[in-house]
Structure formats: structure tokens, C-alpha cells
Amino acid sequence: MEVQSEVEKKIYGLFCENSDLECRKILVAEKTVYLFFISCLVDKELIVNGVTNALFERQKSIEKDIISSIEESVVSLAKVQKVFDDQEITKAILGGALLLAVDGEKSYLTLQANGESKRSITEPPNESALRGPREGFIENIEINLGLLRRRLKTTTLTVKRKEIGRRTHTKLALVYLCDVADPKIVRQLEQRLDNFDIDGVMDSYYIEEILSPKGDKFFKKIGSTEKPDVVAAKILEGRVAIFVDGSPTILTVPYMYFEDMQSPGDYYDIPLRTTFVRFLRLFGMILSLMLPGLYVALESYQYRVLPINFLINLLNAVEGISFPPMLEVLFVIFLFEILAEASVRMPKPLGTALSIIGAVILGDTAVKAGIISSPSIVVVAISGITLYIIPNQSSQASLLRTLFTIVGGIAGFYGLFVGFFMVFSYLASMENYGAPYFAPFAPYIATDQKDGFTKKPIKAMIYRPKSYKTMNSVRQQPFDKTYKTKVQNKSLVARKMSVKQVNSEKNKEKQVKKIKSQEGK
Amino acid sequence: MKKQLTKRQVLFLVIITTLANKTQRLPSLISAQLGRHGWLVFILLGLIDTAFVALALWSNKINNGKTCFDLCKKTCGTKVAKLVILVLGAYFFVKALLPFEAVHDAFSTVLFDNLPWNLYSLFFIVAIILICIYGLTTIGRVSEPFVYLFLLSFIVLLGLGASSSDLSNVLPFVEFDTAKIVDSCWDFCLWFGGFVIIFMFMGRVKEDDGKMGWPIIVAVFLVNLAMAFGYVVFYGLYENLSAEQGNFISSISQFALFEVDVGRIDWLFILFYQFGEFICIGLYLCLAIKCFSDVIGVKNRVLMSFIVVIAIYLLDVFLFKTVGEGVSEVSTIIKYVHPIVVLGLPIFFIIVSYIAKNKDKKIVKENGLTKYQFLSRIKNKKRKIEFIDVKNDTKNVEKSQNTAKINKKSKVKAKGESV
């Protein structure tokens, strides 16, 4: 491309041989106006209708100060900004804006004319619920913020925007209620983000790692969801949400371990059922972690715990297996993990076929060949199903399950119980942005138990969680009190009315009697 | 001082330490000396414990939020304070041997036929080192869910035992030898006095306005009463053979499920019960580490945890070759020192707390302040410190932000970025 004018030299000089960067020249008021843009980032229709046509039509109204008069009276686009700096110019063009330059002028105009492709709003596959909103976040931060804004129509909803990534310039937003969230947490988050220097951010997981407290990288420390109603509820509880452009997963801080036991559907179902389901999830979680280890420990060491008939059946089933129980179960676990991993990556039609081959044919043949026993398949299958009862914890749980199987195989119940105690103590010792990781159970926080394993009706949740600090702890007026006073008032009114009625009736009777007596006389 | 525990956690820790010590070999050792009258030891020493718990809580009530080390330092000077804390540290270390031996017994002889404990216990040692490093806050937190499992297991095992026990074996209970019972109380005092941990909790409990009292007193009494009943059940099961039984908690439910043929499901409850023993060991050693750190002046908790926990491991491996014997040997020596610690410390701390209180009063009088003003002064001091911290925090944030910006720019320049 031949570079002729000063302006073209300057703008093209900012980019390294960029064939994407295009330039459209228009003669306005005897001066050349240059329009620079990256063709794949802008909406060309918008440029034609909002800029070029307008420039041609209103040429006469443009005065000597071309830039200012274009800004004020020609361009009809929503966001127009004057820029002077090279850095601002590159940022605007790379962000999908149109740069308007004029020969001999020191200032430039950036005109927002983004034309990105967007995915439609669908239900997130990991967080489907039987009842409740079905919207899910998408990869566009502006649309995601809009989805949240539609739910939280309050002036105190604060959006702090930032950019992260030297090369990607990924947009990021910290969202919280300024009269509810703890400013210390916001400050900590900002500090961590500012101190981090990375060349690119591809997904919110990068931010999750940046914001996780130092040391442990095994357990999840930051909450994540793809549902706007969940984010809105968490913000109302005094948490801070982190939106990252290009990722449908929104992060929330502070996060506690038991948050993942709460599914979005829990809040749209009757409390008793929710309580039952939460206990089921806890039981499932323990089962997924411990069952293979318990089976190995029982078969290898503490077989006396089992009833004698069951033990005989088990011994019959295991007969002829040449591997020790630990190796046998580990083999099945690895087989399961390989199948799971392959079925995620494979094309869908192939995946179904593969799972049938893997689960039925391979399993059955392995049992018949005497490589593994049927009880170990049953145990790993139960553990595998329960592993996904809390999808957000499944990756950590699958690793812990393998660890407990090894420990159970080496040291039986002793290893399992000491191992469990170690993991529990470790989790109980952690604090995450001022919130104990195992709250509200270790330490026990009475008010937060209303939304713990048991769930109370919404009207009973008067306070925000007390596991972490908030500026305003009261969530709602005590419903029962107002209800009671209303009822009391009603009953008082009713009583007064009834007394009046009774009195009036008595008076009437008296009057009737009087009249009758007078008539009689 | 950072408030590490809640009142609820203190209650749970006292329950665990009071019960976990007594459920290993103590009933069989008592039955060897006293036979069917053994339960009286639990009642007598339990009552003494309850009375002295009340005294310990009273001294805590008088004390104005100071730790026991600070309290002794203020009233008796650093040397006496260090001596008292050293005695407490040694006491906790010795006390930790009881649950440690209980765990050793439960795993190496009850649940396994032949577990090479010297090697396998290293795994357990790692767990204890970890919990000692995490500290009192974590132990308090861990105790909250596990205390339910611990108590539930105790009740279930006791219930199972009671269902197959002949309780009339302890009758007639009137004809007892008082001198013999007093002697036994003297011999087995090491297993009692778990409440001494309360002194270490002084000044470390959240929202403690001296109202920690009644639930703890009642809990200590009830636990000792339950243990006395446990002894009755135990003796009812084994009669004269009870002296030859090892672990109380495992032998109490040994024959209960025999007829039902469901396997030894009671083992699972024995395992759940072990969580209480783990917490008890962790707590005693953590407190011992705190005491030794105060005396020596070493604040490296990791190093201290390693030294103390390895010491208890070495004692278990090299000195106490058979389970139970070691503890019995230790108890014969400790029984002369133990009452001084258990009975003397509450009285000592009451006196010391009163002296400290009078000193505070003097300051109030000399400065012409009301009690409220004095307390608000202390609070204001704390607030000032917090305010300074916040100021420092914001300064640090600004500084770090600036440095981050400078770093970014310099890095960008260095790499020749076209930003």
C-alpha cells in the first residue's frame, strides 16, 4: 500500500504491517478526511449510514474547525470521543472503533462502530434448573452487565471497569453494591488485579487463579456461575462479582465451600424438599470421595465389619481376581476417568457409542476375563455418578477419591480416617477474603444456618450472611413481626367493631323493650 | 490478643478433653483396684473436677481479657510467669500421652490384627503436626462438627453395651472401703482435670464477658456422670474379667451385635469416636507448644510443632513399648504433681486475677476515671491501633499500585512493546 499523506504515515506507523487496517478518504471542506478502521471489527453498515453518508450530506454545514463541527453536528453515532494520544488511537482502533483524522489537525475522533458476532442467550448446560430463570451469560461483557442491570435496578450497584492483559486488553468489571459489600474486599481485589502483569487473559479462569489466595491451588477459592439470577443474589448478599469479557463464567468473592452445595433451583422449590436434596448432595459427596477407599479397606483389612452372608457373596465375586483390591479399584477408576475424558472431547454421536462400548462391553469382558471384579465396578460406578452431584467440585473430588483409595489400600480404616481428618482440618484452617472457608459450619454461625444444609423459607432469612463482613446486615424487615402486628391490628379492629355491634344491638333491644313496655302501659 | 475461639467452641473442647481421656484403659485399671465400686472414683473425681471448673471460670470472669501469661507477668513478674507457663506446658504434654496411647491402642490392636504402628503412626504424626501448625482457631473450628459425631458414637456404643450388660453386677454398692477409694482417686487423678485448658483460653475467647460458666460446669458434671454409668455397664459386662480388658470403648460393644449378625458395625462408631481423640491430642500439643514458645521466646510455630510432636512420637516408640504400660508408669510419677496443678492453679489464678483487678482499680483511682471511662480508654487505644493499621493499609495499597504502574511501564519499555 502506498502511503502518501502525513496522517496515513502516522497511523500506519503505529501498526506492524497490518493488512487489516483500512483507510477511506473523503474530501470535506477542501480538506481530506481519513477514516481508519479494522475491517473485521466494525459494522460497515453503521459506518456508511452513520458517518460517510452524513459527511456527504452535510458537507456545507461543516466549518473550518472540521473535527469539532463533525463531532457536534454531523455524526449520529452514540459514542464519539476526541483523542490526542497515540496509545488512545491504537486502543480505539483495536477496540473496534472508527478513527476519523483530518490533514493538519492534531486531534482525532473515535467513533464507536463495533460489529461483533454474538451468541444468543441460552441456558447454561452446567446449571440447568427445573424451575426459575433460564437465561445464561454469554461471552460479551456488555450484554452480561445488561442482564445483571435488568435484575438489580438500584443506584448503588457499582461497576468498576478495568483492563487486564498487556496484549489482549481484556475488559473486566468489578460489580457490587456499594452500600452492602465490604470495601476492604473490593480494595483487596483491585490491589491483586493491579499488581498482576500478564500478556493475555483468555477466560475468567485466569482471573480466578490471580485472585486466589497464595499457597493452595487445589481447592476452589473463587465462586463461579453462568446464571444472572445467581450473580444478582450473591451481589445482594454482599459479595463482589467479577465480569470478564470473553467468558460466560462470572466469578464471585468471597467464596465458601458449601456454596456449591446450593443449587440455583433450591430457591425456587419448597424449603423441606431443598433441605432433603442438600443432605442428599452431602451424602453423595462423601460417598463419591470415600466409597472406593472404604471398599478397598473393607476388602483388605476390616472385613469383619461386614455381615457374614454379605462377606461370603463378596468373597465369591472376588474369587479368581489376581490383583489386590487397591490396584483393581484404581484400574477401574482410571478406566472411568479415561472414558469420561474421551466422551467430553469426542463428537456427540461417537461419544454415545463409545460410552456403551466402554461401560457395557469393556466392563463385562474385563469381569469375565478375571481382570476386575463386579463389586469394584459397582463401587466405582456409584462413586462416579455421585461425583457429578456437585458439578463445580467434581475435578477436586475425583483427585481426592483416587488419593483416598490409595490411602485406604495401604492403611485401611486408619489411613482413611486420618486422611479425612487431615483434609477437613486443612479446609477448616483456610480463610478466603476474610471468610472462613467452611463457614457456617466450622465455625458455626447460627444465622447463616437458615441457608446451610437446611433451608428456611425466604421470609425467615432476615439477615445477610454473617460469615463475612457486610456494610448492611439486614436483608429484609422481619416479615413475621409485621405480619403479627397486622393480624393483631386486624383482630383489635374486629374486636372493637364487634363490641360496637354488640352494644348497638343491646341498645336496640333496650329501646325495643322500652317501647314495648311503654306500649303495654 | 487475637480472639481465636468462640464460647461454643470452648464448651465443645472441654467436653472432648473431659471424655476422650477416660475411655481407653482407665476403667480396666480402676476395676483391677476397686472392682464393682470403681464408678465411685468417677463420681468423686468428677465432682472435684466440676467444683474446680467453677473456680477456673470464676478466675476467667475476674480477669479483664488478659491471657494467663500476661496476667502472671503483670502480677508476679516475668520469671514466675514463665515458671507457671512451663508447668502448664509440661502438664499438657503429659496429658497428650493419654489420647495418643488411646489412638495407638485403637488402631494397632483393636482394628488391625498386627499393624506396624511405629511406621504407620508417622502418617498420624503428620496430621498432628499440621493441626498444631494451623493452631487453636482451626482446632476450635474442627471441634464443632466432630463433637456431634464423637458424642453420638459414645452414646451409641454405651447404648449397645447397656443392652447386653447385667447392671446388677455392681450391687450391693453400699459396702465400700473409703480408704481404698481415696487411694484410687489419688492413683488415677492424671485422667481427670481436663478443664485446665480453660486457663489457656483466657483472653482468647470472642464475646467472652465472663459468662462462659454454666454450660461448661453442667457439661463437665454430665460427662463424668456418663462415664460412671459407662463403668457400670463395663463392669456389668465383664465382672471380674474387666481388669483384663484393654480398650474400654471397643470392648463395651463387643458382644452387642453378635446375635443380630450384621457384622461389627460398631467399629464405625469407634472410628468416629477417634476424631475426638485426634482433636484432644491436637489441642493438648498445640497448647503445650504455645506454653513452650512463651517460655523460650521462639515464635516459629512450625519448628516448635515439629519438635514437640516428634518428641511425643519418640516417647511412644522407644519408652512405652506396650500400650497402657507407659501411661501407668507416667501416672505413678505424675500423681504427686498433678493435684498441685489441677487444684492449685484455679486458686492461684483467682488470686492473681484479683491482684490484677486491684491494680487496674488503682489506675482508675489515680487518674480520677470512672470504670466506664477506663474501659473506653482501653477500647480507644485498640481503635487507634486499628485506625493506624487501616491508614498503613491504604498507604501500602497506593504504594503498591504506583510501583505496579512503574513496573509495567518499565517492562513494556524493556520489551520494546508498541503500546
Side-chain angles (χ1 to χ4, degrees):
Chain A
M1 187 180 284
E2 274 184 38
V3 179
Q4 293 170 346
S5 69
E6 286 278 311
V7 176
E8 279 178 297
K9 264 185 190 175
K10 189 189 172 184
I11 302 298
Y12 278 112
L14 293 173
F15 295 87
C16 305
E17 292 180 24
N18 207 321
S19 57
D20 264 11
L21 187 66
E22 287 182 17
C23 180
R24 168 91 167 86
K25 292 176 215 169
I26 302 167
L27 201 68
V28 177
E30 295 170 2
K31 278 195 173 181
T32 320
V33 173
Y34 300 89
L35 296 171
F36 292 98
F37 56 91
I38 291 176
S39 55
C40 55
L41 291 180
V42 291
D43 185 351
K44 281 170 190 161
E45 256 183 54
L46 204 67
I47 294 174
V48 172
N49 295 332
V51 186
T52 46
N53 283 354
L55 280 172
F56 285 129
E57 282 166 15
R58 296 183 195 173
Q59 261 195 357
K60 287 173 188 172
S61 64
I62 294 169
E63 293 161 15
K64 279 184 182 176
D65 186 2
I66 296 177
I67 293 281
S68 298
S69 55
I70 288 174
E71 186 188 2
E72 284 158 17
S73 59
V74 178
V75 179
S76 59
L77 293 178
K79 202 177 170 186
V80 181
Q81 205 184 346
K82 245 183 197 173
V83 292
F84 303 90
D85 197 356
D86 284 358
Q87 203 175 333
E88 283 177 311
I89 291 169
T90 48
K91 199 173 150 186
I93 293 174
L94 290 171
L98 184 77
L99 185 84
L100 191 146
V102 181
D103 255 341
E105 294 268 352
K106 284 181 180 174
S107 61
Y108 304 87
L109 268 188
T110 58
L111 315 164
Q112 211 61 46
N114 293 43
E116 298 167 34
S117 57
K118 290 160 200 165
R119 178 165 69 90
S120 60
I121 294 166
T122 50
E123 189 176 17
N126 283 345
E127 292 174 86
S128 52
L130 288 174
R131 191 180 163 176
R134 304 209 185 281
E135 279 177 336
F137 286 119
I138 60 166
E139 285 75 9
N140 188 306
I141 190 170
E142 301 304 331
I143 290 171
N144 290 350
L145 284 168
L147 286 171
L148 183 75
R149 276 271 183 207
R150 271 204 289 153
R151 282 176 172 78
L152 296 173
K153 290 161 190 149
T154 165
T155 51
T156 58
L157 184 74
T158 312
V159 180
K160 274 194 179 175
R161 285 174 185 270
K162 284 186 175 294
E163 263 186 17
I164 196 160
R166 257 184 289 118
R167 286 174 195 274
T168 53
H169 293 285
T170 311
K171 284 184 206 165
L172 184 143
L174 297 180
V175 187
Y176 58 94
L177 291 174
C178 64
D179 58 340
V180 179
D182 183 13
K184 218 175 175 180
I185 295 174
V186 179
R187 213 193 312 149
Q188 268 185 328
L189 287 170
E190 281 186 294
Q191 199 181 338
R192 280 197 184 163
L193 287 170
D194 289 340
N195 285 346
F196 204 77
D197 182 28
I198 189 169
D199 61 346
V201 170
M202 298 298 126
D203 183 64
S204 59
Y205 182 76
Y206 281 50
I207 307 296
E208 194 177 324
E209 276 206 1
I210 294 167
L211 296 178
S212 295
K214 278 179 189 171
D216 167 73
K217 296 285 173 216
F218 186 74
F219 290 99
K220 192 181 160 190
K221 300 277 181 57
I222 309 281
S224 57
T225 180
E226 288 186 38
K227 293 196 80 171
D229 55 321
V230 176
V231 174
K234 288 194 174 179
I235 288 174
L236 282 173
E237 284 183 343
R239 289 189 175 88
V240 182
I242 301 140
F243 287 67
V244 181
D245 198 23
S247 172
T249 311
I250 308 305
L251 310 174
T252 53
V253 171
Y255 165 81
M256 284 161 291
Y257 188 79
F258 285 93
E259 263 179 62
D260 283 329
M261 294 261 177
Q262 302 160 338
S263 148
D266 290 359
Y267 299 90
Y268 315 122
D269 206 343
I270 52 168
L272 205 66
R273 162 81 188 160
T274 304
T275 306
F276 172 69
V277 171
R278 283 188 185 172
F279 272 98
L280 216 63
R281 278 186 209 130
L282 176 75
F283 181 67
M285 185 74 185
I286 294 169
L287 216 62
S288 69
L289 286 178
M290 306 294 279
L291 193 64
L294 271 174
Y295 169 73
V296 171
L298 281 169
E299 208 188 315
S300 313
Y301 303 99
Q302 279 82 29
Y303 44 85
R304 272 176 280 177
V305 172
L306 300 171
I308 191 77
N309 292 333
F310 182 68
L311 187 65
I312 291 166
N313 287 341
L314 186 75
L315 288 173
N316 285 335
V318 171
E319 205 181 355
I321 306 293
S322 46
F323 296 112
M326 184 179 83
L327 287 181
E328 185 196 340
V329 170
L330 279 177
F331 176 71
V332 183
I333 286 176
F334 285 131
L335 208 67
F336 176 84
E337 294 287 344
I338 288 164
L339 276 173
E341 192 58 26
S343 59
V344 171
R345 309 268 171 269
M346 275 204 178
K348 269 183 187 172
L350 242 175
T352 345
L354 187 95
S355 60
I356 293 166
I357 291 168
V360 182
I361 301 171
L362 204 69
D364 194 41
T365 324
V367 171
K368 278 178 185 164
I371 301 168
I372 47 176
S373 64
S374 43
S376 61
I377 289 183
V378 173
V379 163
V380 177
I382 293 170
S383 160
I385 293 163
T386 48
L387 200 66
Y388 291 95
I389 206 161
I390 304 166
N392 282 342
Q393 299 279 354
S394 58
S395 46
Q396 292 103 312
S398 73
L399 284 174
L400 274 178
R401 176 178 69 163
T402 315
L403 202 75
F404 278 127
T405 310
I406 295 168
V407 166
I410 295 170
F413 276 178
Y414 164 72
L416 275 180
F417 276 71
V418 175
F420 182 77
F421 184 72
M422 267 165 90
V423 172
F424 193 91
S425 309
Y426 175 65
L427 290 174
S429 72
M430 285 201 291
E431 291 215 357
N432 201 0
Y433 290 93
Y437 197 56
F438 254 174
F441 304 99
Y444 180 88
I445 296 161
T447 48
D448 291 8
Q449 297 295 328
K450 287 176 181 170
D451 192 17
F453 283 131
T454 56
K455 190 188 162 284
K456 294 274 164 70
I458 290 162
K459 62 184 178 186
M461 291 179 207
I462 296 161
Y463 299 104
R464 291 199 168 83
K466 289 187 176 172
S467 307
Y468 51 90
K469 272 186 189 173
T470 50
M471 301 263 278
N472 178 1
S473 62
V474 181
R475 194 203 293 253
Q476 60 181 334
Q477 285 301 314
F479 179 84
D480 284 341
K481 260 191 186 174
T482 50
Y483 181 68
K484 268 179 194 171
T485 48
K486 271 181 190 172
V487 170
Q488 278 169 356
N489 288 340
K490 271 184 186 175
S491 61
L492 271 173
V493 171
R495 261 187 221 165
K496 278 178 189 172
M497 289 289 284
S498 61
V499 169
K500 270 184 187 176
Q501 274 179 351
V502 169
N503 285 341
S504 65
E505 279 173 11
K506 276 180 184 176
N507 286 336
K508 272 181 189 174
E509 279 175 9
K510 274 180 188 177
Q511 279 175 354
V512 170
K513 272 181 187 177
K514 264 185 185 178
I515 293 164
K516 277 183 180 176
S517 62
Q518 279 173 1
E519 280 175 358
K521 278 176 186 177
Chain B
M1 173 54 64
K2 193 190 166 191
K3 304 287 182 190
Q4 292 165 302
L5 297 167
T6 61
K7 280 192 261 185
R8 190 185 154 86
Q9 287 169 352
V10 171
L11 173 70
F12 288 162
L13 289 175
V14 170
I15 290 173
I16 289 171
T17 46
T18 313
L19 190 58
N21 284 338
K22 301 180 180 76
T23 46
Q24 193 222 359
R25 292 196 171 242
L26 181 64
S28 63
L29 289 172
I30 290 177
S31 70
Q33 277 194 22
L34 286 175
R36 68 170 187 271
H37 302 303
W39 61 277
L40 283 167
V41 174
F42 287 100
I43 296 287
L44 264 175
L45 286 176
L47 281 173
I48 293 168
D49 258 13
T50 312
F52 278 82
V53 162
L55 286 180
L57 291 168
W58 187 22
S59 69
N60 185 48
K61 196 179 176 181
I62 302 163
N63 173 33
N64 194 10
K66 293 181 197 74
T67 60
C68 62
F69 184 64
D70 290 341
L71 195 68
C72 296
K73 208 172 156 183
K74 196 181 176 184
T75 49
C76 316
T78 315
K79 281 182 184 173
V80 177
K82 280 191 174 179
L83 184 73
V84 172
I85 298 301
L86 183 69
V87 170
L88 267 175
Y91 174 77
F92 291 131
F93 184 78
V94 172
K95 272 288 220 185
L97 281 171
L98 298 177
F100 195 87
E101 290 298 303
V103 171
H104 179 169
D105 192 22
F107 286 115
S108 68
T109 55
V110 178
L111 290 165
F112 287 85
D113 295 330
N114 263 318
L115 185 80
W117 178 250
N118 292 352
L119 180 70
Y120 275 62
S121 62
L122 284 171
F123 185 43
F124 179 58
I125 290 295
V126 172
I128 297 300
I129 288 174
L130 274 181
I131 204 163
C132 286
I133 292 169
Y134 297 150
L136 212 54
T137 314
T138 303
I139 294 172
R141 283 179 189 172
V142 170
S143 73
E144 287 191 274
F146 281 132
V147 78
Y148 297 111
L149 270 178
F150 176 70
L151 288 177
L152 178 81
S153 313
F154 181 71
I155 292 164
V156 168
L157 292 170
L158 209 62
L160 285 173
S163 66
S164 53
S165 168
D166 183 7
L167 302 182
S168 62
N169 280 343
V170 289
L171 295 174
F173 58 81
V174 192
E175 305 155 2
F176 54 80
D177 186 353
T178 318
K180 223 176 171 185
I181 287 170
V182 172
D183 274 352
S184 297
C185 285
W186 178 257
D187 287 340
F188 302 115
C189 62
L190 177 64
W191 280 264
F192 291 80
F195 67 86
V196 178
I197 54 168
I198 291 171
F199 297 123
M200 289 302 291
F201 295 157
M202 282 202 300
R204 289 190 169 100
V205 182
K206 281 175 201 162
E207 297 160 13
D208 175 27
D209 312 320
K211 288 173 187 168
M212 271 200 318
W214 284 110
I216 294 177
I217 296 168
V218 173
V220 169
F221 178 70
L222 286 178
V223 165
N224 281 305
L225 204 67
M227 218 30 239
F229 177 67
Y231 182 86
V232 172
V233 170
F234 180 66
Y235 193 80
L237 273 169
Y238 296 102
E239 285 186 78
N240 298 329
L241 292 173
S242 52
E244 284 155 34
Q245 301 303 315
N247 199 312
F248 162 80
I249 204 77
S250 67
S251 43
I252 201 168
S253 60
Q254 199 170 3
F255 306 114
L257 297 167
F258 223 62
E259 290 168 10
V260 198
D261 190 25
V262 286
R264 284 215 65 182
I265 294 172
D266 56 314
W267 272 9
L268 290 175
F269 290 102
I270 294 168
L271 283 161
F272 291 143
Y273 189 83
Q274 297 311 310
F275 284 134
E277 304 278 2
F278 296 168
I279 293 168
C280 194
I281 301 166
L283 177 66
Y284 277 138
L285 289 179
C286 184
L287 294 179
I289 288 161
K290 257 189 199 313
C291 291
F292 295 144
S293 301
D294 279 344
V295 174
I296 306 165
V298 177
K299 286 188 177 177
N300 189 340
R301 206 199 277 179
V302 179
L303 178 75
M304 289 299 288
S305 304
F306 261 99
I307 294 169
V308 172
V309 179
I310 296 291
I312 211 162
Y313 168 73
L314 294 176
L315 267 180
D316 181 57
V317 172
F318 294 108
L319 279 181
F320 311 145
K321 283 181 180 167
T322 50
V323 179
E325 268 182 30
V327 176
S328 305
E329 281 166 21
V330 170
S331 76
T332 50
I333 306 161
I334 293 293
K335 71 179 182 185
Y336 299 104
V337 191
H338 190 266
I340 302 167
V341 178
V342 174
L343 310 181
L345 275 181
I347 297 161
F348 170 76
F349 273 108
I350 285 174
I351 295 164
V352 164
S353 302
Y354 261 114
I355 294 168
K357 199 183 176 186
N358 285 335
K359 274 190 177 178
D360 287 347
K361 267 186 184 176
K362 265 188 185 176
I363 297 166
V364 171
K365 269 187 184 177
E366 279 167 10
N367 295 312
L369 300 168
T370 61
K371 193 184 172 185
Y372 173 76
Q373 281 171 331
F374 176 68
L375 288 173
S376 65
R377 265 193 177 189
I378 296 169
K379 275 184 186 172
N380 282 337
K381 265 189 185 175
K382 278 181 189 170
R383 267 181 212 160
K384 269 184 186 174
I385 293 162
E386 277 170 14
F387 179 68
I388 291 163
D389 282 350
V390 171
K391 261 191 164 181
N392 288 339
D393 264 14
T394 48
K395 275 182 187 175
N396 288 337
V397 170
E398 281 166 11
K399 267 187 186 177
S400 57
Q401 280 176 351
N402 289 334
T403 48
K405 278 177 189 171
I406 293 162
N407 284 340
K408 260 188 186 178
K409 279 181 184 174
S410 59
K411 274 178 189 172
V412 168
K413 274 180 187 174
K415 286 172 186 172
E417 292 282 342
S418 59
V419 180

